[in-house]
Amino acid sequence: MPKQEWTKINDILFGKKTDKKVKSRGWIYRTRSSGNIVFAILRDSSGTLQTTIIKGSLADKEFEDAKKALIESSVIVEGVVKKDQRAPGGFELKVTKFDVVNFADTFPITKDQSPEFLLDQRHLWIRSQKLTAVLKIRSTIVGAIHTFFRNLGYYEFDAPILQPNQCEGGSTLFEVKYYDNKTFLSQSWQLYAEAGIFALEKIYNMGPTFRAERSKTSRHLSEFWMAEMEAAWMELKEVTEVAKDEIRFILKEVLKNNKSELETLGRDIKKLEQMANAKYPTITYTEALDILKEKEGMKVEWGKDLRTIEEDKLMNHFKTPVVVTNYPTQIMAFYKPKDPKDPKTALCFDMIAPEGYGEIVGGSQRSIDIKDMTKRLKDMGEKIENYDWYFDLRKYGSVPHSGYGVGVERVVAWICGIDNIKDAIPFPRTVLRFRP
Ligand code: 4AD
Ligand code: MG
């Protein structure tokens, strides 16, 4: 298309174009007509605007086209911007030219359709106001994570997606045929990051992560994005503070850039502001069990992992995210070291979000005890040869090091206040859904 000056709808809504002639382009969001007048709400990526098309103000053919164009038709319009209190957003465009670029077929999505139908129509449903708002916030969050780490001098470091090893337990691995062999889709960037820190010291990454999760919950995806960091010379306490800073930074960036999207989603902005500036407490797993017992009358046997229900009950007592450290070693991944001060627990942590969003971050200091890791891997039936390279990292200049992973969709879902993680990613993959 020839180069032109296009006016974005937001500029009109911000009052920058009042009484001026503009040329805009977008899609018909809603339309109604009576006799010689058509009201078409136009949408572009920045917002929606009422356009008024009156017979006689433009060529007859264009008026007929405007009358006939169904929702989601793509159009180019020219006209004059007028302030009008009655119009949604307070402005309207008096149209003098209306070119239909593509007459849309009847749009399959109408009001009140089931979530499953909308997931089938995901390629079209991502145009909805709700998903557009979520996707804009997601983009801010992803950008904020890059900025956060780069500002602290971290290097971006990439790991393979096809990996021969497990990191978080064999039961959730996706197997892939690899020529005449088999390999797996990445469960985590971490093991490779532990090699990378010996060159770069402080590294981070954000990438697709795969877990064959049988659990059909509102918090689990089979393919999700994890933002991970790993740092040499860092122990548990310090790494939990980095995680808290990261989450507060993400919240601040969203509040700076996406107030109107948060409003579209009906999110309580005050709550987010409080969390962006608050201190987040750190407690131990054992203290968490005490809170559950004393304040919720819930008895969890020491050694059992915290399930969704227990995380939610625990968070009844906090208004901000909380870091929980020292989970029982026996239920932790092979690389999480025993705490020398309390060896039945590990030097590890989760960060749990308030308001029922559960675990958003998981991380730990890393074990440097080859013997202990070998035993734990063998107990899980792993082939130890596959981990020789990983153990080498403990033989050539090993240092204390730590890292964690942020579940990007968990954070998006929480900040947006949406009830299912599926809406935090454009095309969700779950046990039952892998198309479109
Ligand atoms: O707690 P996880 O399993 O930790 C790791 O994978 C570490 N290797 C990370 C590290 O230390 N570098 O996963 C990290 C986070 C979780 O806290 C959760 O937010 C998210 O990833 N997550 C999921 N998000 C959506 N769907 C799933 N199935 C998820 N599994 C984990
Ligand atoms: Mg975890």
Side-chain angles (χ1 to χ4, degrees):
M1 265 182 216
K3 209 167 175 277
Q4 316 230 18
E5 263 298 301
W6 300 102
T7 300
K8 296 302 285 183
I9 286 176
N10 241 4
D11 284 340
I12 296 173
L13 299 177
F14 284 141
K16 291 186 196 166
K17 296 285 176 185
T18 312
D19 297 323
K20 296 220 170 80
K21 194 158 185 209
V22 299
K23 193 164 179 175
S24 293
R25 55 189 173 181
W27 294 266
I28 297 177
Y29 178 64
R30 263 201 304 269
T31 180
R32 70 189 161 86
S33 64
S34 68
N36 290 338
I37 187 161
V38 180
F39 294 104
I41 308 267
L42 205 64
R43 117 187 127 69
D44 70 6
S45 60
S46 72
T48 55
L49 173 73
Q50 176 169 298
T51 68
T52 308
I53 305 136
I54 300 168
K55 196 175 165 129
S57 307
L58 68 175
D60 279 352
K61 159 131 195 336
E62 289 174 17
F63 178 79
E64 292 310 320
D65 283 353
K67 213 167 168 174
K68 164 167 110 194
L70 302 177
I71 63 164
E72 291 306 320
S73 295
S74 43
V75 297
I76 292 176
V77 296
E78 275 179 46
V80 180
V81 175
K82 289 284 168 200
K83 242 189 144 126
D84 186 337
Q85 291 312 320
R86 292 162 304 173
F91 291 90
E92 68 162 357
L93 186 73
K94 297 257 184 233
V95 174
T96 53
K97 202 161 185 341
F98 194 94
D99 287 322
V100 178
V101 178
N102 171 260
F103 282 100
D105 287 0
T106 304
F107 202 56
I109 300 174
T110 54
K111 266 198 179 153
D112 303 325
Q113 272 158 331
S114 73
E116 278 312 304
F117 177 82
L118 294 176
L119 282 164
D120 286 337
Q121 301 293 327
R122 191 69 164 189
H123 52 297
L124 302 175
W125 181 235
I126 54 175
R127 306 174 184 194
S128 64
Q129 292 208 316
K130 176 182 172 186
L131 284 190
T132 302
V134 173
L135 293 176
K136 285 182 185 174
I137 293 171
R138 182 184 167 105
S139 173
T140 300
I141 291 171
V142 168
I145 291 169
H146 284 287
T147 306
F148 175 79
F149 284 114
R150 283 167 183 260
N151 284 350
L152 290 175
Y154 281 68
Y155 294 99
E156 190 167 355
F157 175 84
D158 296 315
I161 295 292
L162 296 169
Q163 301 182 359
N165 314 303
Q166 60 110 326
C167 179
E168 298 298 326
S171 65
T172 61
L173 282 172
F174 274 111
E175 195 175 306
V176 177
K177 188 168 160 338
Y178 191 73
Y179 305 106
D180 299 327
N181 268 303
K182 68 170 191 186
T183 187
F184 306 103
L185 294 177
S186 172
Q187 272 183 327
S188 173
W189 160 92
Q190 178 194 326
L191 301 190
Y192 295 88
E194 289 186 60
I197 53 155
F198 290 92
L200 301 171
E201 296 196 25
K202 298 197 295 185
I203 56 180
Y204 82 99
N205 184 271
M206 200 165 353
T209 306
F210 304 87
R211 304 264 170 105
E213 301 271 12
R214 290 276 162 198
S215 32
K216 288 178 220 131
T217 75
S218 60
R219 296 177 185 177
H220 287 90
L221 292 164
S222 308
E223 176 181 319
F224 62 100
W225 286 65
M226 210 200 293
E228 295 179 83
M229 64 74 80
E230 192 75 28
W233 313 106
M234 197 179 278
E235 297 188 349
L236 180 67
K237 171 93 181 64
E238 188 179 350
V239 85
T240 60
E241 295 304 320
V242 178
K244 292 176 188 177
D245 285 344
E246 180 183 352
I247 297 300
R248 282 187 290 251
F249 183 76
I250 292 171
L251 282 165
K252 284 185 185 137
E253 287 295 295
V254 171
L255 287 161
K256 196 158 82 192
N257 294 293
N258 300 104
K259 280 247 168 75
S260 82
E261 286 75 26
L262 292 169
E263 274 160 17
T264 301
L265 296 168
R267 188 65 167 103
D268 186 338
I269 293 176
K270 270 239 163 60
K271 266 192 193 161
L272 295 180
E273 277 166 351
Q274 278 158 5
M275 288 189 281
N277 295 296
K279 282 200 166 157
Y280 302 169
T282 296
I283 60 173
T284 63
Y285 163 87
T286 306
E287 286 165 345
L289 294 201
D290 289 345
I291 294 173
L292 288 172
K293 193 167 135 207
E294 282 158 26
K295 300 196 174 156
E296 294 285 341
M298 216 175 177
K299 195 156 164 32
V300 180
E301 197 187 319
W302 199 98
K304 289 254 153 64
D305 209 353
L306 296 182
R307 295 168 305 163
T308 302
I309 164 100
E310 283 117 21
E311 285 178 352
D312 290 352
K313 293 277 182 206
L314 176 67
M315 293 315 287
N316 284 342
H317 306 282
F318 297 95
K319 289 198 164 65
T320 67
V322 175
V323 164
V324 182
T325 66
N326 291 81
Y327 284 79
T329 317
Q330 69 206 56
I331 52 167
M332 289 290 109
F334 76 95
Y335 58 78
K336 297 190 185 178
K338 289 180 183 147
D339 185 341
K341 289 198 211 111
D342 180 15
K344 57 183 200 316
T345 70
L347 292 172
C348 66
F349 78 101
D350 278 358
M351 191 191 293
I352 305 174
E355 304 174 89
Y357 287 90
E359 178 194 336
I360 50 174
V361 185
S364 76
Q365 197 165 315
R366 312 310 189 188
S367 175
I368 49 172
D369 183 342
I370 299 179
K371 244 175 134 182
D372 181 60
M373 287 193 278
T374 304
K375 181 176 181 304
R376 286 158 80 174
L377 284 166
K378 273 196 177 142
D379 288 348
M380 288 187 283
E382 289 293 308
K383 275 204 200 108
I384 292 303
E385 315 82 88
N386 283 346
Y387 297 83
D388 283 346
W389 69 270
Y390 183 71
F391 294 152
D392 272 352
L393 307 173
R394 274 70 180 162
K395 293 181 187 163
Y396 304 103
S398 180
V399 293
H401 62 289
S402 301
Y404 63 80
V406 173
V408 172
E409 290 74 18
R410 297 256 180 108
V411 171
V412 171
W414 163 54
I415 292 181
C416 291
I418 51 185
D419 30 88
N420 198 303
I421 196 167
K422 282 188 255 191
D423 281 340
I425 188 165
F427 292 96
R429 301 287 176 251
T430 63
V431 193
L432 297 174
R433 178 163 294 278
F434 49 97
R435 55 172 65 93

